[in-house]
Amino acid sequence: MLYGYARCSTNEKKQDIDRQKRELKKLGVDADNIFWEYESGMKNDRVQLDRLLTIAEEGDTIIVLEVSRLTRSTQKLCSIIDEIKEKRLKLIIDKSITVDCTPGHEIDPMTKGMLMMWGVFAELEHDIICQRVKSGMENARAKGTIIGRPKTTEENIPAVFMKYYPKYIKKEMNISEMSRLCQMSRTTIYKYIKILEQQ
């Protein structure tokens, strides 16, 4: 079986993961076999990646477009390679590197060394980006710019919540129903209710 994995570190409003999906389809991966998510590349526990590695069976192939899409942590990369070896899978990274651990094959030292080098660069790039962001935020604060999300007030509570809030007050609707209809988490619903009750 041929699988694909795609990842972006932020949500769909900020990064387009569709490009990765399109490229994976061009490489022969069926749309139903593409596992994708919006998570940090430094995060060790990722739902879709873990699910893919659980589902994949001996002899299967996993394709990713870049090492950085797979992970930005050299430690996590080593863990993934160990799992590829243990489950006897094949990992292809943008047609440039093939880690073939399927029955009858073993990963050669040169391929493993190159993969580790790419992993180090991916982690280094992440660290540089973080440093630039931190520096930019400190510079903005020095100029008096307010950093972070604006404080939530009654005026900027979403209209969809305000539509159903009167029904909640009248006990015609509970938190779970509001969460479902507003497409918000229960935590967010509670936060908005608290803001309104404090007015």
Side-chain angles (χ1 to χ4, degrees), residues 117-138:
M117 185 176 66
W118 280 17
V120 169
F121 284 131
E123 186 168 342
L124 178 62
E125 182 182 30
H126 170 270
D127 292 344
I128 290 172
I129 291 171
C130 287
Q131 188 61 44
R132 284 177 178 169
V133 170
K134 184 179 178 181
S135 176
M137 290 174 67
E138 289 174 352

Side-chain angles (χ1 to χ4, degrees), residues 174-184 186 189:
N174 60 33
I175 295 292
S176 295
E177 290 171 322
M178 284 194 70
S179 176
R180 178 175 56 83
L181 291 169
C182 296
Q183 295 187 336
M184 298 174 184
R186 290 167 62 91
I189 296 293

